[in-house]
Amino acid sequence: GAVVSQHPSWVICKSGTSVKIECRSLDFQATTMFWYRQFPKQSLMLMATSNEGSKATYEQGVEKDKFLINHASLTLSTLTVTSAHPEDSSFYICSALTDNYGYTFGSGTRLTVV
Amino acid sequence: QQQVKQSPQSLIVQKGGIPIINCAYENTAFDYFPWYQQFPGKGPALLIAIRPDVSEKKEGRFTISFNKSAKQFSLHIMDSQPGDSATYFCAASKGYSTLTFGKGTMLLVSP
């Protein structure tokens, strides 16, 4: 089946620094990837949809300049949290869409900003 | 406006019991209804999914029942085990557009 690898699993950074999260499709090409944010005991909240080679489409209320998404290849999408602050601490999850397997999720990244 | 309503919020059953989680949707254009299982600190994993042209689908111990006229679908877990303790999310989408998730159900299966 389709496998999506997400790294890092967890990261701690200082307030004001930037953090990059990678999402790779290991055995398939993903033309569309999604980025979600999840707070404790809550559902997944879609942040943005990225298509390979084009600009990401952000959901209402998500700051484009803060959450930079790059989908430069068919197997890699990245989310960069710029100038991170404690309120950005959350669980970030990527997902890739395939014709054969539907939506496949990464294992998530726990971001803690101190 | 929440387009997929999930209940209950939490559920406790004994080992061997059959927990049932229900979801209701509003958008009649939805045509893909998956269920995901999520363990703490992990991403969601697809359990089972159904399309509106069938009323029931079974995979192992997991069964989806789908009622198109009522715009409802449910997940049944047969012979539940402590290892099934997790959070379960229903979702819906139109074609391969973005998924709309329910709020989740925390299931605890006691030994």
Side-chain angles (χ1 to χ4, degrees):
Chain A
V3 177
V4 172
S5 176
Q6 185 173 344
H7 291 281
S9 298
W10 57 271
V11 58
I12 301 174
C13 69
K14 291 185 177 180
S15 185
T17 61
S18 295
V19 173
K20 179 183 284 188
I21 301 169
E22 291 190 350
C23 182
R24 294 181 183 273
S25 57
L26 297 187
D27 49 2
F28 65 98
Q29 293 183 329
T31 55
T32 303
M33 286 190 175
F34 305 91
W35 286 95
Y36 295 86
R37 184 174 182 176
Q38 187 179 33
F39 292 104
K41 297 187 178 182
Q42 292 192 21
S43 189
L44 286 76
M45 181 185 74
L46 180 66
M47 299 175 65
T49 302
S50 72
N51 292 293
E52 185 265 338
S54 61
K55 290 185 177 181
T57 302
Y58 290 82
E59 295 299 302
Q60 190 173 9
V62 177
E63 300 177 58
K64 302 178 183 181
D65 296 331
K66 178 164 208 47
F67 300 100
L68 300 180
I69 292 172
N70 184 284
H71 193 163
S73 78
L74 286 171
T75 59
L76 175 65
S77 177
T78 61
L79 167 67
T80 301
V81 183
T82 62
S83 185
H85 292 283
E87 57 265 28
D88 299 323
S89 298
S90 190
F91 192 55
Y92 294 88
I93 309 170
C94 68
S95 172
L97 181 59
T98 71
D99 289 339
N100 294 329
Y101 301 103
Y103 305 87
T104 301
F105 288 83
S107 55
T109 298
R110 172 74 59 195
L111 170 64
T112 302
V113 184
V114 297
Chain B
Q1 183 182 11
Q2 185 188 356
Q3 294 192 53
V4 179
K5 295 184 178 180
Q6 183 172 347
S7 63
Q9 188 173 1
S10 62
L11 187 56
I12 302 174
V13 299
Q14 288 190 331
K15 177 182 175 181
I18 306 176
I20 301 173
I21 305 171
N22 300 297
C23 283
Y25 63 97
E26 300 170 3
N27 188 344
T28 56
F30 287 150
D31 59 4
Y32 176 67
F33 303 90
W35 284 90
Y36 292 90
Q37 178 189 59
Q38 185 180 30
F39 293 105
K42 300 295 183 182
L46 177 66
L47 270 178
I48 186 172
I50 198 168
R51 297 210 178 261
D53 52 345
V54 297
S55 60
E56 184 174 282
K57 184 176 181 179
K58 185 175 182 179
E59 287 185 4
R61 295 186 294 110
F62 302 96
T63 300
I64 296 181
S65 296
F66 185 82
N67 186 328
K68 187 175 180 178
S69 60
K71 295 187 287 185
Q72 296 175 347
F73 58 110
S74 60
L75 175 70
H76 301 232
I77 306 176
M78 305 303 174
D79 187 27
S80 58
Q81 301 296 313
D84 296 328
S85 299
T87 299
Y88 292 81
F89 292 96
C90 64
S93 72
K94 175 186 176 183
Y96 279 143
S97 63
T98 58
L99 283 169
T100 298
F101 282 90
K103 290 193 172 183
T105 297
M106 293 181 63
L107 172 66
L108 176 63
V109 181
S110 60

